[in-house]
Amino acid sequence: MATSASCKVVLAGSVAQSLLAEVAHGLQKLERAPVLAGFLANSDPAARMYANWTDRTCKENGFLFQLRNVNREELEEHILAANHDSSIDGIDQYLQQIVDVSKDVEGLCHKYVFNMYQNIRFLDEHNLLKSVLPCTPLAVIKILEYLRIYNEIIPYGNRLFGHFITIVNRSEVVGRPLAALLANDGACVYSVDVTGIQQFTRGEGIKNKRHDVIEKKGWTLEDCVPLSDVVISGVPGVSYKFPIHLLREGTVCINISSEKNFDANVKDKASIYVPSIGKTTIAILLRNQLRLVENRREISLAV
């Protein structure tokens, strides 16, 4: 943790270290290095940078990464072929509807998404095969655990009870899954996008098994941010800046955008500030890949 005048700045690499140590321990039990296949079907420089970052992290941590440049029109065909390729252990591609559940490192295929929203944490009735969660939302959860926002005295599954969290992003890949996961863990979550604000909650006393979504008609950031002890912003626009003046004193602020959503003066109000989460997200990608391999091994032993 780096220190500033009134808050601690926590770097994603610090959180990633313990996750990568966990992954390294798991790799020792495998007969070979897991193979992750990534598909690049456009010229987006951000996607290329992410792919290069993934490749470097894989090599540094005992994984093999195969980047495949394909035509967009042929992408589905290549993914379907990879589903049946026994030499490939995981597939990293956001076209998750057709990625096999046993190879979906992003945790965004139908089965994993259904489990996530329904607060179902395992794939089997014996609770041996853990469901895979989306990389970026899970990275945020691991950061919150690292920061001790999760209360370990409270039973597992309820450890965010009492926390109020605002998330500025409701995309289907990041913001909405993150809101659901945090609410399922007991938080009251205000999910913000251009269409308005929704509240994700398990109800009074978190008595419900899974979250419900309530439309907060007429609400703006002015209504939810002052209530929140954690604020997470993921707006992709370079011009967007979160209104720092709305923050409570001592708020935990996390930037999940590739852009800088918070100005430097966020440190005057926040108790903890996480400026980026990229390295934690990549560590989660490897952790998810390891989980897929472990799940397949568990299934083979049960047969």
Side-chain angles (χ1 to χ4, degrees):
M1 294 186 181
T3 306
S4 73
S6 61
C7 82
K8 288 186 179 296
V9 178
V10 179
L11 302 180
S14 300
V15 185
Q17 286 178 0
S18 61
L19 295 169
L20 293 175
E22 175 188 338
V23 168
H25 179 72
L27 284 179
Q28 294 175 1
K29 303 176 184 178
L30 303 182
E31 296 178 355
R32 65 172 178 82
V35 178
L36 174 64
F39 293 89
L40 202 58
N42 58 50
S43 57
D44 181 8
R48 173 67 64 176
M49 182 175 67
Y50 179 81
N52 292 338
W53 200 356
T54 302
D55 182 33
R56 183 170 65 251
T57 306
C58 282
K59 289 178 179 176
E60 291 173 351
N61 292 279
F63 289 73
L64 298 178
F65 181 65
Q66 298 178 359
L67 179 60
R68 304 181 180 190
N69 295 279
V70 301
N71 293 327
R72 179 177 294 274
E73 294 77 13
E74 300 174 350
L75 179 58
E76 289 190 16
E77 181 181 342
H78 284 282
I79 292 176
L80 290 172
N83 282 340
H84 299 286
D85 187 341
S86 61
S87 70
I88 294 175
D89 297 298
I91 299 171
D92 183 18
Q93 223 296 323
Y94 281 124
L95 194 65
Q96 299 305 115
Q97 297 89 341
I98 62 172
V99 175
D100 189 87
V101 67
S102 69
K103 297 190 178 185
D104 178 16
V105 295
E106 293 289 351
L108 290 170
C109 69
H110 174 75
K111 177 63 175 178
Y112 292 143
V113 169
F114 176 85
N115 283 4
M116 174 183 63
Y117 284 117
Q118 295 298 318
N119 202 13
I120 299 171
R121 305 191 179 213
F122 292 87
L123 296 172
D124 65 315
E125 60 183 13
H126 302 295
N127 292 351
L128 297 174
L129 308 176
K130 277 195 171 183
S131 200
V132 173
L133 297 174
C135 293
T136 300
L138 184 53
V140 175
I141 288 173
K142 291 302 177 183
I143 288 170
L144 292 175
E145 289 179 346
Y146 179 86
L147 299 177
R148 303 294 190 267
I149 305 301
Y150 274 75
N151 187 343
E152 294 185 359
I153 296 176
I154 298 175
Y156 174 75
N158 296 335
R159 290 176 175 172
L160 286 180
F161 183 43
H163 287 285
F164 292 80
I165 301 175
T166 290
I167 303 171
V168 187
N169 177 304
R170 197 156 64 237
S171 70
E172 295 300 326
V173 174
V174 178
R176 187 184 297 276
L178 178 58
L181 288 167
L182 297 181
N184 284 342
D185 277 343
C188 174
V189 180
Y190 298 109
S191 174
V192 183
D193 76 352
V194 293
T195 66
I197 295 177
Q198 295 177 340
Q199 181 185 20
F200 288 58
T201 175
R202 283 171 53 195
E204 185 177 354
I206 55 172
K207 296 176 182 177
N208 300 329
K209 180 181 178 181
R210 59 174 296 274
H211 73 280
D212 290 318
V213 179
I214 302 169
E215 295 288 342
K216 305 297 287 184
K217 294 183 179 179
W219 274 44
T220 66
L221 285 174
E222 284 79 2
D223 297 292
C224 61
V225 173
L227 302 175
S228 301
D229 53 287
V230 177
V231 172
I232 301 164
S233 188
V235 179
V238 65
S239 62
Y240 177 80
K241 295 299 177 184
F242 186 89
I244 303 298
H245 69 279
L246 296 178
L247 294 172
R248 287 170 41 178
E249 292 283 340
T251 301
V252 173
C253 295
I254 302 175
N255 178 52
I256 63 173
S257 173
S258 58
E259 307 294 342
K260 295 180 180 179
N261 282 187
F262 295 96
D263 281 329
N265 61 350
V266 67
K267 300 171 189 176
D268 296 330
K269 296 288 287 287
S271 60
I272 299 174
Y273 173 49
V274 182
S276 66
I277 66 166
K279 290 185 177 180
T280 307
T281 303
I282 296 294
I284 291 294
L285 181 75
L286 300 186
R287 187 173 179 268
N288 279 357
Q289 173 65 93
L290 179 62
R291 173 150 294 161
L292 291 175
V293 174
E294 291 173 340
N295 281 353
R296 286 203 298 273
R297 184 175 60 183
E298 196 72 41
I299 292 171
S300 66
L301 292 173
V303 175

